[in-house]
Structures are given as structure tokens and as C-alpha cells.
Amino acid sequence: MDVVVFAKYVPTPEGTPELGPDHLLVRDGGDGALDPGDTYGLELGLRLVEAHGGEVTVVSMGPAGAIAAVQRALAMGAHRGVLVTDPALRGADALATARVLAACLRRRPADLVLAGIESTDGYTGTVPVTVAELLGIPSVTAVRAVEVVDGALRVERQTEEGADEVACPLPALLTVTAGATEPRFPSLKGIMGAKQKPVETLALADLGIDVEDVRPTQRVVAVADAPPPAGGEIVDAEVGIARIADLLVEAKVL
Ligand SMILES: Cc1cc2nc3c(=O)[nH]c(=O)nc-3n(C[C@H](O)[C@H](O)[C@H](O)COP(=O)(O)OP(=O)(O)OC[C@H]3O[C@@H](n4cnc5c(N)ncnc54)[C@H](O)[C@@H]3O)c2cc1C
């Protein structure tokens, strides 16, 4: 089973993301790492190939520094990596990102594509399903469990009410919820071994993509700090319940 896992390089949550003069996130040279939201899909992919054979390829689009996200995934157990990096991709929007990732999959088709539900920085949540649409393959989102049965998938999809069970043919794309798996930590052997694993670094030209096709369709014109949250009301225990009931009545909740 050939599994591709998308891995985004994002500012580390502990760091302080910086915006450049063009109001875009400074990604290169910044303090970045593998998006934690992508480790669940990676873990699921590793378990599937451990059970059914095959390989996991991790694919990332980002600045040169995004190699750190690829290396982390290889240290966790992925077999090979692909990094797409090109100066023309600076400020790429979600559609451009999806076009690049889809081109990687046309170049090297996979049986199964796994992604996070939404990234922790841009969080449009649109890239994976856009990739599936561009490739004309089915996608199932918010997956919390998956089984391979007779060459097809039986998928459990998280819903507000509980879960849907979905039958899905291969090839397919799934976005994986945080609760689906417990991502493994890379072992020292895994970290050392990652350096020996094959990584391809591609530019747009290698994917046959014209710069015009990834030109951002929107421009950030200004960024302003979010207004401080409006002052709440501190209700002391003495009058608490009655005051809260009054507030709920005022708010027409009660
Ligand atoms: C603060 C901020 C706001 C933004 N707002 C917008 C916006 O409104 N519209 C817009 O089009 N773009 C926006 N962007 C740009 C957008 O983040 C990038 O285009 C990004 O590459 C893809 O979108 P996303 O992060 O929303 O992906 P999502 O769709 O949220 O990501 C879901 C999953 O797709 C995969 N994935 C996403 N990006 C990559 C990648 N580069 N490499 C590998 N896998 C990936 C990962 O598995 C990820 O978990 C914003 C970026 C930032 C930092």
C-alpha cells in the first residue's frame, strides 16, 4: 500500500510568529516544526503499512526550512520524503498549495493520502479536499478509524452526534482527527536513521507548474492587533446565582 502523508511546516506554538513587511508570516529562518495536527495522519499511515505492507511518503510544501518537518516525519518512521520549495510559493494561498500537492501526487500516485483536518497557522481546512477534487478521488474528512477490507476502506468519521461508518474505494484522501491515534515519538535510532532516508527536493518546474498557476489570489493589505476582549463582570459568590440568572435573562438565554 503506497501511502502519502501531508506534513505542513508551521511556526512552533511556543515561538512568536513574525510578519514580514508584506504582512506575510516569516517562515524561513523562523522557528518552525512539523504541524502537530499532521502527526495523527502520519501515525495512522505507519500503522496501515505495518499491517498491510507498503511505504509511507511524506510530502511538504514550504520554505527550505520545511525540511525539518520532513525529517521529523522520517524520524517517526516514514520511508521517504518530498519537499517542494520555490521562491514563487512565498505567500501561496490554499488553492495554490492544493495545486502543488496534487501535482506531487500526479507525479507519484498513491493508494491513500492522509492529511490533518486543518493546519495550526492558516487553518482554512480547505487544502486536503481541494487536492482530492483536483485529482478526482473521493475524500472523507474527520476520520477517527480506518480499516482496509478487500482492497477498499471502511472508515469511521467523527460527527457531532457520534460517528458515521463510510465505505470508500481506493485511491482516496482522508483527513484524520486528533483522537484517531496516539502518535509515536521518534526513537534515537529513528532520528539517526532519518538522515539516510531518501528526500527529493522539488521546484515548481519539476512539477510542470507555471508560476502563474500559483500566484496568490488575495493580498494581505493590513494587519491589526485584535481588540482586547470586552471587560466581563466579576460575580462574587454572595450574589452569584441570582446575578447570573439575571444576566442570562438579559441575554435572552433564559
Ligand atoms: C494566519 C494565516 C492566515 C491565512 N489565511 C488564508 C486564507 O484566508 N486563505 C488562503 O487561501 N490562505 C490563507 N493562508 C495561507 C495558507 O495557510 C497557506 O496557503 C497554506 O499553505 C495552506 O492553507 P492552510 O494552512 O489553511 O491549510 P489547511 O487546509 O488548514 O491544512 C489542512 C492540512 O493540509 C495539509 N497541508 C496544508 N498546507 C500544507 C503544506 N504547505 N504542505 C503540506 N501539507 C499541507 C496538512 O496536512 C494540513 O494539516 C493563511 C496563512 C496564515 C499563516
Side-chain angles (χ1 to χ4, degrees):
M1 186 175 212
D2 259 335
V3 177
V4 160
V5 175
F6 290 161
K8 191 175 182 190
Y9 177 70
V10 295
T12 46
E14 308 76 44
T16 38
E18 216 190 304
L19 295 180
D22 52 7
H23 307 304
L24 294 175
L25 207 55
V26 174
R27 289 186 190 275
D28 221 354
D31 200 1
L34 170 64
D35 194 327
D38 289 335
T39 57
Y40 305 103
L42 176 57
E43 180 63 31
L44 186 65
L46 293 170
R47 292 184 191 185
L48 284 171
V49 297
E50 282 158 4
H52 301 281
E55 284 198 338
V56 172
T57 300
V58 58
V59 174
S60 188
M61 180 197 101
I67 193 68
V70 174
Q71 286 296 343
R72 176 77 180 182
L74 294 172
M76 283 177 67
H79 301 81
R80 64 185 55 246
V82 175
L83 172 61
V84 183
T85 188
D86 194 304
L89 288 169
R90 178 158 167 66
D93 60 22
L95 179 56
T97 305
R99 284 186 171 142
V100 168
L101 297 176
C104 286
L105 284 156
R106 282 195 201 93
R107 186 169 176 274
R108 190 192 167 87
D111 303 307
L112 180 62
V113 184
L114 300 171
I117 291 192
E118 61 180 24
S119 73
T120 51
D121 61 347
Y123 52 86
T124 62
T126 61
V127 169
V129 288
T130 310
V131 171
E133 190 57 28
L134 291 170
L135 295 173
I137 62 174
S139 61
V140 184
T141 57
V143 167
R144 67 179 199 187
V146 61
E147 268 181 279
V148 181
V149 184
D150 304 332
L153 299 180
R154 190 177 302 145
V155 179
E156 228 179 78
R157 179 175 184 277
Q158 182 77 45
T159 66
E160 277 171 19
E161 296 74 33
D164 292 342
E165 195 160 302
V166 181
C168 179
L170 288 171
L173 179 146
L174 310 179
T175 70
V176 182
T177 61
T181 58
E182 188 57 46
R184 67 194 68 184
F185 279 92
S187 61
L188 186 57
K189 186 163 163 274
I191 294 167
M192 301 312 290
K195 299 198 172 55
Q196 318 315 322
K197 292 180 178 175
V199 175
E200 267 188 301
T201 302
L202 304 174
L204 288 176
D206 301 312
L207 296 170
I209 296 183
D210 189 294
V211 172
E212 281 313 310
D213 296 333
V214 292
R215 198 173 290 291
T217 53
Q218 62 216 295
R219 197 165 53 83
V220 181
V221 292
V223 175
D225 291 337
E233 177 181 333
I234 298 174
V235 178
D236 71 42
E238 284 299 304
V239 298
I241 306 299
R243 181 69 194 124
I244 292 171
D246 290 347
L247 288 168
L248 292 174
V249 170
E250 275 166 33
K252 297 193 175 23
V253 177
L254 285 181

